[in-house]
Amino acid sequence: MVIKVFFPSCCPEAESGLLLGRWIPEQNAAVVLAIIHYPFIPGQVKQYLEQIKSVTTVNVSVLGSWSSHSSRTKDNIDQFLQDLSSIFPHDFWFQLTQEKESRSVFKCHVVQQCDSKNDKENVILIHYDQRKVMLSKLHDVDSKSIGCNHNTGEAEAITSDFAAIFDTVAKCELLFMIDKYDETPIKFTHWQSEGRETSIIVELAKQASVPVCMVLLFLVTFVLNICKSRVLNVWPLHILWSRLTTCVQLAHRLDHLQTIASSTKAQSHTEFMRKANLFVSFLIDVGLGMLLISWLYQQNRIGQLADALIPAADRKINEDSVEKSSRTLVGPFNRYCLISWSEGLEHMGSRMGLKHIAKELEILLEWLMGAPAGLKMNKALDEVLGHFFLYHIHLWISYIHLMSPFIEMILWYVGLSACLGLTVALSIGSDIIALLTFHIYCFYVYGARIYCLKIYGLSSLWRLFRGKKWNVLRQRVDSCSYDLDQLFIGTLLFTVLLFLLPTTALYYLVFTLLRLVVVVIQGFIHLLVDLINSLPLYALGLRLCRPYVLAAGVKFDVFQKVAGKPLHLLMQINPLTYGMIIKRYRLPTYSSYPKDSWAALCKKLFIGRLIYPWKRRNEKQD
């Protein structure tokens, strides 16, 4: 039988005394937690052990004796420590004796109470870092085999075998709170025996967190109650709040703040990590937002952004409208005012330094109304569609003219919203892009609906030629007999739709490409917001600064190997990889990745179904 003794790496310098720890019979392992210094009173040791058991619920006991080479009274107390096995009865009594040549090499003498049989060769001493093991959290990893490397002396251990060891050290944190400065009748040696590890900043933050969380929770609850009131949930407003990305992101952040400010203590490691990840994510989000504010309000970047977002109306349209209006008005003064107004709009457009969006769309429509790429289109339908879309462009120009004096002021106040976080600013940017490209969305919807109507009409008429029809009740194609009049009408309609299809398909193709550009931009913004919302930044920071905290397993290095002495191994912690951390601690978000494959997306584009940049959960598809 092989017995494993886990010995803290901080205890070889301890004075002679008793080994305090836990015996795990399932694994034939003894976990040494501390060393009680000599002199001591056995009755006080027993009383202290009972207190530790009642608080930590860990079966802590005296495992054996420890004899230090540096002890001045070594010859006098060795026999005394060995005789204590009768006072502290245990199945195995471990007698560790430090060697003179090397303090890291021990003699281990195991005494079984049943037959007093010694077993030296089957004892393995494993040195472990008590601080790292106590602070670490061992995760379940799918590992069913132990990988050995005989050249380097390293071996991977199964994670589940060491869960009890990590759990024992973590639960006995109260034992490590006693240091040499405490006035207690019993003195210990453990990883904090020279002084407790703490930070003034951390202690002050703990004291200030309680009132701050109470105030923050009150404010967040008050805002949420206002948002859930009936006044703001009437029919038009409810649809608006659910469609605007900014409102959805604000509601998401309010839920995060409510979770962070909750006074309920985390009951598990997973819940604690979720709260910590939410808190760090919120802080970094606000920090990035403040950096964005400092960049926006320097060198008049708000004005430059306003000039870039305001598409100026086409100069030719303005000149024609001024000329027509001046002919109808009487008097040079009115003509002078209209010309000045036109020059002002032209000066506003020249400040941008960008192409006029309205002019480019008009040129594109004129190209489609002609012979695009040498294609012969249906002239009547081509002119109807072209003039229809040109009318919408004129409406959009009027909308921009109406909003242009207020764009810079709106952007100035919108920029201040970045103090709520970079994700809020990005969401507002996505909504602004949606508003400024609303005309492109309308063009795409009109073209897609007309194209989809013709595709479905052609497919239905094609079934008519084959003597079939679509059964709406059973959702299948059934056979059907048609008379001569039905076949004649179907042939005429099929011919009309087939010859009008190229013209409609060309408009649909052009506006679909424009819509895809906007969808890609909005999708990239949503991906960035989703990344900030869901990335477990606290866990990644732990992996970078303290990789042992998130443990995936352990490995062993040969520490000392001396003939006739127990084998000494050094236990080291294997941290979780970055990919495993992201997969395990990724935060939930309000967005869901599109489940459509590329084939499904191409099918939607081919039949004219509408596509969206992002799908919400439980949202009906068009």
Side-chain angles (χ1 to χ4, degrees):
M1 182 178 62
V2 178
I3 299 177
K4 302 180 288 291
V5 179
F6 290 85
F7 192 80
S9 57
C10 58
C11 289
E13 303 296 331
E15 300 178 5
S16 298
L18 297 177
L19 298 176
L20 185 64
R22 178 191 178 191
W23 169 254
I24 306 176
E26 296 83 5
Q27 303 180 19
N28 293 325
V31 183
V32 179
L33 299 173
I35 294 179
I36 302 176
H37 296 176
Y38 178 84
F40 52 83
I41 301 175
Q44 293 180 346
V45 175
K46 286 188 175 182
Q47 184 179 2
Y48 181 75
L49 289 178
E50 293 298 328
Q51 295 177 359
I52 293 295
K53 290 179 183 179
S54 61
V55 175
T56 62
T57 65
V58 177
N59 189 17
V60 180
S61 60
V62 176
L63 300 177
S65 62
W66 162 256
S67 298
S68 175
H69 173 66
S70 61
S71 180
R72 297 179 182 179
T73 60
K74 182 177 184 304
D75 298 334
N76 299 328
I77 67 172
D78 283 347
Q79 187 62 38
F80 170 72
L81 294 176
Q82 295 175 9
D83 295 339
L84 290 177
S85 59
S86 60
I87 302 177
F88 301 98
H90 202 271
D91 293 340
F92 294 93
W93 184 263
F94 300 93
Q95 297 175 0
L96 299 183
T97 306
Q98 197 172 40
E99 293 285 345
K100 296 181 180 180
E101 296 81 5
S102 177
R103 294 186 176 183
S104 58
V105 179
F106 316 138
K107 291 180 180 179
C108 185
H109 186 71
V110 181
V111 179
Q112 287 185 342
Q113 298 295 331
C114 56
D115 56 359
S116 299
K117 182 180 177 182
N118 295 338
D119 193 355
K120 292 183 180 180
E121 298 179 355
N122 294 333
V123 175
I124 299 177
L125 283 169
I126 302 174
H127 299 260
Y128 71 97
D129 192 327
Q130 200 172 54
R131 174 179 177 273
K132 291 183 178 180
V133 172
M134 190 197 74
L135 296 177
S136 63
K137 172 63 178 178
L138 193 63
H139 295 74
D140 294 331
V141 181
D142 294 333
S143 175
K144 298 182 179 179
S145 62
I146 302 176
C148 299
N149 190 339
H150 298 285
N151 296 328
T152 59
E154 296 181 358
E156 295 292 337
I158 300 177
T159 303
S160 59
D161 292 344
F162 295 91
I165 297 164
F166 279 74
D167 186 63
T168 299
V169 179
K171 287 183 177 180
C172 294
E173 184 180 0
L174 180 63
L175 177 63
F176 308 137
M177 292 292 106
I178 302 175
D179 55 27
K180 65 180 182 180
Y181 301 104
D182 292 331
E183 296 180 357
T184 56
I186 305 175
K187 298 298 181 181
F188 298 90
T189 293
H190 47 75
W191 74 276
Q192 283 196 133
S193 57
E194 296 298 324
R196 278 174 285 183
E197 185 182 82
T198 186
S199 173
I200 298 178
I201 298 177
V202 173
E203 295 299 327
L204 292 176
K206 289 181 180 179
Q207 297 296 328
S209 61
V210 177
V212 171
C213 288
M214 292 179 62
V215 174
L216 184 61
L217 182 62
F218 173 77
L219 294 177
V220 171
T221 306
F222 179 74
V223 174
L224 286 176
N225 290 333
I226 293 178
C227 295
K228 294 178 181 179
S229 61
R230 294 184 178 180
V231 177
L232 298 179
N233 283 311
V234 293
W235 173 70
L237 293 179
H238 176 69
I239 297 178
L240 182 64
W241 304 146
S242 61
R243 290 294 180 267
L244 288 178
T245 310
T246 306
C247 297
V248 177
Q249 176 61 24
L250 286 175
H252 190 62
R253 279 304 185 194
L254 285 176
D255 291 338
H256 286 178
L257 285 176
Q258 192 174 21
T259 303
I260 294 171
S262 176
S263 58
T264 305
K265 187 178 180 180
Q267 301 298 325
S268 62
H269 173 76
T270 303
E271 187 177 353
F272 168 77
M273 291 296 295
R274 181 175 182 270
K275 281 190 174 184
N277 286 322
L278 289 176
F279 180 69
V280 175
S281 176
F282 179 77
L283 286 183
I284 293 180
D285 188 17
V286 173
L288 292 175
M290 298 304 294
L291 289 178
L292 179 62
I293 289 178
S294 64
W295 180 80
L296 282 177
Y297 291 92
Q298 291 179 359
Q299 301 178 2
N300 195 26
R301 288 192 176 94
I302 293 290
Q304 298 174 7
L305 183 61
D307 293 340
L309 290 177
I310 301 174
D314 183 43
R315 180 178 177 181
K316 180 180 178 181
I317 296 177
N318 293 332
E319 290 178 352
D320 294 342
S321 61
V322 170
E323 186 67 24
K324 292 179 182 179
S325 301
S326 62
R327 289 175 183 174
T328 58
L329 294 176
V330 180
F333 180 75
N334 292 332
R335 182 182 179 86
Y336 173 76
C337 292
L338 291 174
I339 293 176
S340 301
W341 173 72
S342 176
E343 291 178 351
L345 292 178
E346 179 183 352
H347 176 67
M348 181 186 66
S350 64
R351 287 173 55 196
M352 291 189 341
L354 302 174
K355 292 182 179 181
H356 298 168
I357 299 178
K359 180 64 179 177
E360 294 299 325
L361 286 176
E362 186 182 24
I363 293 175
L364 177 63
L365 287 173
E366 290 176 354
W367 177 72
L368 292 175
M369 292 170 65
L375 298 176
K376 182 65 175 178
M377 314 301 294
N378 186 282
K379 187 175 181 180
L381 179 61
D382 198 8
E383 289 183 354
V384 170
L385 292 177
H387 289 295
F388 175 75
F389 290 125
L390 281 176
Y391 174 72
H392 281 76
I393 291 178
H394 293 166
L395 292 179
W396 180 70
I397 292 172
S398 303
Y399 162 70
I400 293 299
H401 284 170
L402 182 64
M403 294 296 298
S404 58
F406 311 101
I407 290 293
E408 185 172 354
M409 180 181 64
I410 292 174
L411 288 178
W412 196 91
Y413 287 107
V414 165
L416 295 177
S417 64
C419 64
L420 300 176
L422 180 63
T423 55
V424 177
L426 291 175
S427 301
I428 293 177
S430 177
D431 291 336
I432 291 176
I433 291 175
L435 290 176
L436 293 179
T437 58
F438 183 70
H439 57 301
I440 296 178
Y441 176 74
C442 291
F443 294 166
Y444 165 70
V445 171
Y446 298 152
R449 291 305 187 191
I450 297 175
Y451 175 78
C452 183
L453 180 63
K454 290 189 176 182
I455 290 295
Y456 278 104
L458 289 173
S459 63
S460 298
L461 294 173
W462 178 249
R463 287 193 292 268
L464 183 142
F465 292 153
R466 295 183 299 157
K468 297 180 181 299
K469 70 173 183 178
W470 175 254
N471 192 328
V472 181
L473 296 179
R474 297 187 178 183
Q475 294 293 310
R476 68 181 186 185
V477 177
D478 294 335
S479 299
C480 181
S481 59
Y482 297 96
D483 55 18
L484 186 62
D485 295 338
Q486 290 175 332
L487 291 175
F488 178 74
I489 297 298
T491 304
L492 291 179
L493 292 177
F494 183 83
T495 305
V496 172
L497 292 178
L498 182 63
F499 283 102
L500 293 181
L501 181 63
T503 304
T504 307
L506 183 61
Y507 276 88
Y508 169 69
L509 176 63
V510 171
F511 293 129
T512 299
L513 293 177
L514 292 177
R515 175 60 181 168
L516 285 177
V517 173
V518 180
V519 165
V520 168
I521 296 175
Q522 287 186 301
F524 177 75
I525 294 176
H526 290 174
L527 278 177
L528 190 57
V529 172
D530 182 69
L531 180 65
I532 299 175
N533 285 335
S534 62
L535 203 62
L537 298 174
Y538 177 74
L540 292 175
L542 284 180
R543 176 62 178 83
L544 182 63
C545 301
R546 291 184 174 183
Y548 55 85
V549 174
L550 302 177
V554 296
K555 65 180 180 180
F556 298 104
D557 295 334
V558 176
F559 186 61
Q560 288 287 348
K561 188 175 183 181
V562 182
K565 303 286 176 58
L567 178 62
H568 290 254
L569 299 178
L570 180 62
M571 187 178 76
Q572 296 181 357
I573 297 176
N574 285 332
L576 287 174
T577 61
Y578 288 99
M580 294 173 64
I581 289 175
I582 294 177
K583 183 179 180 180
R584 186 178 294 266
Y585 292 107
R586 186 179 178 89
L587 296 171
T589 181
Y590 64 88
S591 298
S592 60
Y593 292 100
K595 297 181 180 180
D596 295 334
S597 61
W598 287 105
L601 179 61
C602 293
K603 181 181 178 181
K604 284 185 177 182
L605 292 175
F606 179 75
I607 63 178
R609 294 189 63 181
L610 298 181
I611 57 174
Y612 299 93
W614 213 247
K615 289 288 184 185
R616 302 284 191 271
R617 290 187 177 91
N618 302 327
E619 182 180 4
K620 294 182 180 180
Q621 296 184 357
D622 181 74

